Amino acid sequence: MTYRRAAIPALVGGLLITMLLWWAGASAQALQLRGATSVFDAQSVSELRRWLAPWSYDPPAGALADAPAGAGTGGESALSGGTQYAGLYSTAMQIRFVAVFVFYLAGALFLIRRIPPTQGRTPATVLALWAWGPVAGTLAVTVSAPWLIASGGHGSYRVLPQLAFVIASSGPIVVLAALLTALLTVLVARVTAKGEDPLPRQSVSPRAARLAASAGTAVIALSLVILSYESVAAWIQTAFGGGGLLSEPGDLLREWLLLGGWSGPAGTPLGDWLLYRAVDVVMLVAVWWALRLLPGLLTRTTVPAMAVGAVCATVGGLLVSQVLYTAVSSDVAVWGPVHLFSRLGEGIPAALTFGSVAGTAALATLRLTGGREPGELPQ
């Protein structure tokens, strides 16, 4: 698909996800109305506020209360200082919404060109665009984080832990908005693709595709199985030091390196422990399957295409595992139904890190094993 044809659905998708997130953030005020708890229980209302808070232009209650008032004294200087910090918060949100539009637009444009919704690729395009939505949201909150941290008035205190908290805050609402956005984006893409000669799917050796998928999945397993083990994760949390603004990097490293978290069965019923480990296995199987199909879905098997595709595959595997965790969880009776979906969107920074490496490893394996069939045309 040409850039001109792909730009239209990508632009529609970028505008739609931005509008959905803006609307969700604007709806946060409705949860503070007196009648909100008559529709949802108190725990669900609290959880929904947490979901919507990262996209609300109104700062959370008390977020700016401790901001320094400024050099002067008296009510006027206090008002001036509060206004300045409120302005920083508003700037952070403006940057966040512009960034989510730009990141989604760029990713959607790339994915629609490399996995156009033609020749049996439509389901893969929908899933890839859905997975890209949380990635765009995570990148947007990361870019806007310095302004958001500064708006609290404590920008020089424990910067890296604050940054990790902000990065992890994009929330399940992005996953839900991304699903609707992906469906509409692909619908528009199919309309704009009419009249264009469809590119044939690449012919990839099944053995090479399996080996490439195994290499990429091994990279994902490094994070999910080894680095996410309790004792290893604790070492990552505490082993790296620093001073000044770079002190306490443990929380930030965990965000970008750990796809999950698990420990031995001690203190947990063995059946429950095996069930949760089976969910992790399902995630790896989902990633392996997506990576095996990826080279044949792409119109060009390049390093950027495999890296972005593997990131989407990893995010997709995460979403599968998080939905399964929801299905086997027994917390609904305690925390309410909304809490069951609170895990959606976790682990996206680590999916970016290891998905990119997994895609590169898969491509290297594909090329070393001679992945293209003899009759395939060069790109």
Side-chain angles (χ1 to χ4, degrees), residues 167-189:
I167 291 173
S169 69
S170 60
I173 196 66
V174 183
V175 178
L176 302 177
L179 176 58
L180 180 58
T181 301
L183 292 171
L184 184 60
T185 301
V186 169
L187 180 63
V188 176

Side-chain angles (χ1 to χ4, degrees), residues 46-191:
S46 176
E47 188 68 18
L48 285 171
R49 285 176 181 170
R50 185 183 69 83
W51 289 15
L52 301 178
W55 304 99
S56 174
Y57 261 91
D58 297 314
L64 306 178
D66 297 329
T73 58
E76 183 178 347
S77 65
L79 179 61
S80 175
T83 301
Q84 290 174 357
Y85 284 99
L88 277 174
Y89 185 89
S90 179
T91 300
M93 297 311 299
Q94 292 170 12
I95 293 171
R96 181 166 298 185
F97 281 106
V98 171
V100 77
F101 169 75
V102 171
F103 283 124
Y104 192 87
L105 172 64
L109 180 62
F110 185 82
L111 287 169
I112 291 170
R113 291 200 72 237
R114 290 290 173 258
I115 312 177
T118 57
Q119 293 291 313
R121 295 185 177 103
T122 300
T125 310
V126 172
L127 293 175
L129 289 173
W130 182 21
W132 184 253
V135 174
T138 297
L139 292 173
V141 298
T142 302
V143 169
S144 62
W147 286 268
L148 194 71
I149 293 171
S151 71
H154 305 286
S156 61
Y157 174 69
R158 302 186 76 234
V159 174
L160 297 185
Q162 290 187 78
L163 183 60
F165 175 78
V166 173
I167 291 173
S169 69
S170 60
I173 196 66
V174 183
V175 178
L176 302 177
L179 176 58
L180 180 58
T181 301
L183 292 171
L184 184 60
T185 301
V186 169
L187 180 63
V188 176
R190 286 185 63 86
V191 173

